[in-house]
Amino acid sequence: MKTKQFVYGIKGNIVYSKYPEKIEICDNSYLLYEGNKIIGVFSKIPDAYSEIQVKDYGDRLIIPGLVDLHVHAPQYAFRGLGMDLELLDWLNTNTFPEEAKYKDTEYAEKAYRIFVDNLRKGATTRACIFATIHRKSTMILMDLLEKSGLSTMVGKVNMDRNAPDYLIEHTEESADETVEWIEEVIAKKYSRTRPILTPRFIPSCTDELMKRLKMIQKSYQLPVQSHLSENYEEIAWVKELCPESAFYGDAYDQVGLFGKDCKTLMAHCVHSDEEEVKRIKENGVYVVHCPESNTNLSSGVAPIRTYLDEGIHVGIGSDVAGGATENLFAAMTYAIQASKLRWRLQDDSLKPLTVAEAFYIATKGGGEFFGKVGSFEPGYEVDAVVLDDSRLLHPQELTVQQRLERMIYLSDDREIYAKYVAGEKLFERG
């Protein structure tokens, strides 16, 4: 018999994904876990666990925590502003001046605290986060995230060209500061906050810096996050800067920062051609869909149906502040709506995303980057969000799946009743 004092359960309407095309619905069921490992979902408690403690959440929904694979913490301060510009003008007009402020650690602490506090309140349990080039401020962000109880990967950004002078490091300085930052993170011995190598994108990083970052990546075995094929002007710029590269992603691949032995996130992939898609699949690169940002900055709509059909890893990102909100329920809604517009107006061979598929990429699809995360299958880590939809009044009887769909389209932080990350309860409303 199992040692019962280490096994716990939560009870409610349990909802999760095993595959993109179907949502698993377990009405009035029990999620049992030991430490940070899920034992399983049961309609009744097995005899071997009959004496365990169970938290009963009644008729509420229990879903896996949502995973934000692409968000810029320093941009949170200006979300919802400057959306009349396309990507490159938006960076120069809004993003770079704001990120320069993070040289001031007092400003960084104030701004990052707002970001972390709000992220903690929502349904997001895991996130991959861009900071700025500033090492000390990046450590402030990581300290705050560690205290929050969320599980995150954070990157000190690298840029040594094609940005304002006030936001550029010399190549050697950028590499050296990155190593010093990694060593400081290691010394801190965080339990939930990990470093991720973060070259902003090819236009802002010289070949020499990218080669140095590969050496750092190999030495410390870090994952990597960056941007790919977001905007036509950006793609043309990469072709000009890297004429020897067959396509945008090839510029990363030539230095070994595009999957294979280097776990890699690439945000956007809106305009990836067939050759790039093939390389993404071959190298096991994760595509991060950022539908609200792609709409706000007039970048286009990524062919997520193609990526799913090809078996490519796909997750979702809020991409604040290109996206105006960190609410991943909203991101799911945008993903579905954008795919419908793409199907209707651009390519009717790619069917729109379903609610089940959007839910999958926001949970298990993105969670895979962190390991066995984002599902309630046995052996997965215990990330769970309890949803209370009593505020969303309705006159008719609804199934659990219908209630989930309404949550995706209508909910915000007010529906978050309780939240568990890596087997520990972060909070529960009284």
Side-chain angles (χ1 to χ4, degrees):
M1 183 178 293
K2 281 281 188 182
T3 306
K4 298 183 183 67
Q5 64 264 33
F6 297 116
V7 178
Y8 299 92
I10 54 178
K11 182 174 182 285
N13 296 305
I14 297 174
V15 183
Y16 65 104
S17 294
K18 294 180 180 178
Y19 310 103
E21 57 275 359
K22 182 185 177 184
I23 297 175
E24 302 291 327
I25 305 290
C26 304
D27 295 359
N28 195 31
S29 294
Y30 299 84
L31 175 67
L32 303 190
Y33 61 96
E34 183 173 13
N36 185 27
K37 297 296 180 185
I38 290 170
I39 296 169
V41 177
F42 305 91
S43 58
K44 64 178 183 178
I45 298 177
D47 291 342
Y49 303 108
S50 59
E51 298 178 13
I52 67 170
Q53 295 181 22
V54 175
K55 175 64 181 179
D56 190 345
Y57 286 107
D59 193 43
R60 298 181 180 93
L61 276 62
I62 302 173
I63 67 169
L66 305 186
V67 181
D68 191 340
L69 286 186
H70 188 69
V71 56
H72 293 261
Q75 296 177 17
Y76 195 74
F78 70 90
R79 67 198 186 283
L81 298 173
M83 295 301 186
D84 293 334
L85 301 171
E86 291 190 45
L87 174 64
L88 299 183
D89 289 338
W90 180 80
L91 288 171
N92 286 307
T93 303
N94 297 318
T95 302
F96 292 157
E98 176 62 28
E99 290 192 7
K101 297 176 185 177
Y102 289 76
K103 183 177 181 181
D104 178 349
T105 54
E106 289 187 12
Y107 183 86
E109 198 280 335
K110 180 179 180 180
Y112 282 148
R113 186 173 296 280
I114 294 170
F115 167 74
V116 173
D117 286 349
N118 286 343
L119 193 66
R120 189 178 188 274
K121 293 174 186 175
T124 300
T125 54
R126 309 252 173 169
C128 291
I129 302 170
F130 278 58
T132 65
I133 66 169
H134 310 100
R135 175 173 53 83
K136 291 181 180 179
S137 291
T138 301
M139 292 305 305
I140 289 171
L141 173 60
M142 297 182 82
D143 286 344
L144 290 168
L145 286 164
E146 180 70 13
K147 292 175 184 176
S148 77
L150 300 171
S151 182
T152 62
M153 298 184 193
V154 179
K156 175 207 167 298
V157 172
N158 296 104
M159 296 194 292
D160 69 340
R161 68 174 176 183
N162 292 326
D165 291 342
Y166 56 74
L167 209 61
I168 283 183
E169 298 172 298
H170 295 298
T171 302
E172 290 187 7
E173 178 190 13
S174 184
D176 291 346
E177 283 284 291
T178 298
V179 171
E180 189 168 347
W181 161 66
I182 295 167
E183 290 291 343
E184 188 171 353
V185 171
I186 293 171
K188 287 265 189 178
K189 296 182 179 178
Y190 294 127
S191 62
R192 298 174 186 259
T193 315
R194 289 178 277 169
I196 182 169
L197 210 61
T198 308
R200 186 178 210 110
F201 64 162
I202 290 294
S204 68
C205 297
T206 62
D207 293 347
E208 180 59 31
L209 177 57
M210 293 296 283
K211 291 174 183 175
R212 287 172 179 259
L213 292 178
K214 175 57 186 177
M215 293 172 64
I216 294 169
Q217 185 277 322
K218 189 173 182 180
S219 177
Y220 291 95
Q221 291 298 297
L222 296 183
V224 174
Q225 61 180 353
S226 195
H227 301 83
L228 181 67
S229 298
E230 179 178 0
N231 168 283
Y232 285 127
E233 187 179 357
E234 170 205 18
I235 294 168
W237 195 12
V238 171
K239 187 174 182 179
E240 178 184 333
L241 291 168
C242 307
E244 72 288 351
S245 297
F247 47 86
Y248 194 160
D250 189 45
Y252 291 105
D253 204 14
Q254 286 189 13
V255 293
L257 296 176
F258 200 68
K260 292 183 180 177
D261 63 342
C262 170
K263 201 168 188 179
T264 303
L265 289 177
M266 284 290 161
H268 307 300
C269 305
V270 176
H271 303 293
S272 297
D273 60 20
E274 288 185 11
E275 195 174 6
E276 187 163 88
V277 172
K278 182 181 178 183
R279 188 77 59 84
I280 287 170
K281 180 178 181 179
E282 289 174 349
N283 289 16
V285 172
Y286 284 70
V287 170
V288 189
H289 185 33
C290 304
E292 187 189 10
S293 172
N294 297 156
T295 300
N296 286 337
L297 300 180
S298 304
S299 297
V301 181
I304 300 304
R305 168 66 57 218
T306 296
Y307 300 145
L308 289 174
D309 288 350
E310 287 289 333
I312 289 169
H313 299 291
V314 179
I316 206 162
S318 64
D319 195 22
V320 167
T325 176
E326 74 280 11
N327 180 356
L328 289 185
F329 289 121
M332 286 185 244
T333 301
Y334 294 130
I336 295 166
Q337 293 172 337
S339 72
K340 289 177 179 178
L341 289 174
R342 195 183 202 284
W343 169 70
R344 177 61 68 192
L345 301 176
Q346 183 177 347
D347 185 354
D348 63 8
S349 71
L350 298 182
K351 294 298 183 183
L353 294 179
T354 64
V355 168
E357 289 166 331
F359 182 71
Y360 174 87
I361 66 175
T363 55
K364 186 175 179 179
E368 288 177 335
F369 194 75
F370 286 84
K372 298 190 79 171
V373 170
S375 181
F376 291 149
E377 297 165 78
Y380 273 66
E381 294 191 50
V382 186
D383 285 11
V385 174
V386 181
L387 303 174
D388 185 343
D389 60 351
S390 58
R391 180 181 69 91
L392 306 177
L393 300 177
H394 54 89
Q396 75 277 46
E397 291 292 325
L398 296 176
T399 66
V400 170
Q401 183 151 341
Q402 287 173 326
R403 290 168 64 191
L404 174 67
E405 184 172 0
R406 278 168 53 90
M407 291 288 293
I408 290 171
Y409 279 91
L410 301 177
S411 70
D412 56 34
D413 291 355
R414 288 173 288 182
E415 277 62 61
I416 313 303
Y417 185 84
K419 187 170 177 178
Y420 295 74
V421 180
E424 296 184 13
K425 185 191 293 182
L426 262 64
F427 63 81
E428 180 178 320
R429 294 208 317 246

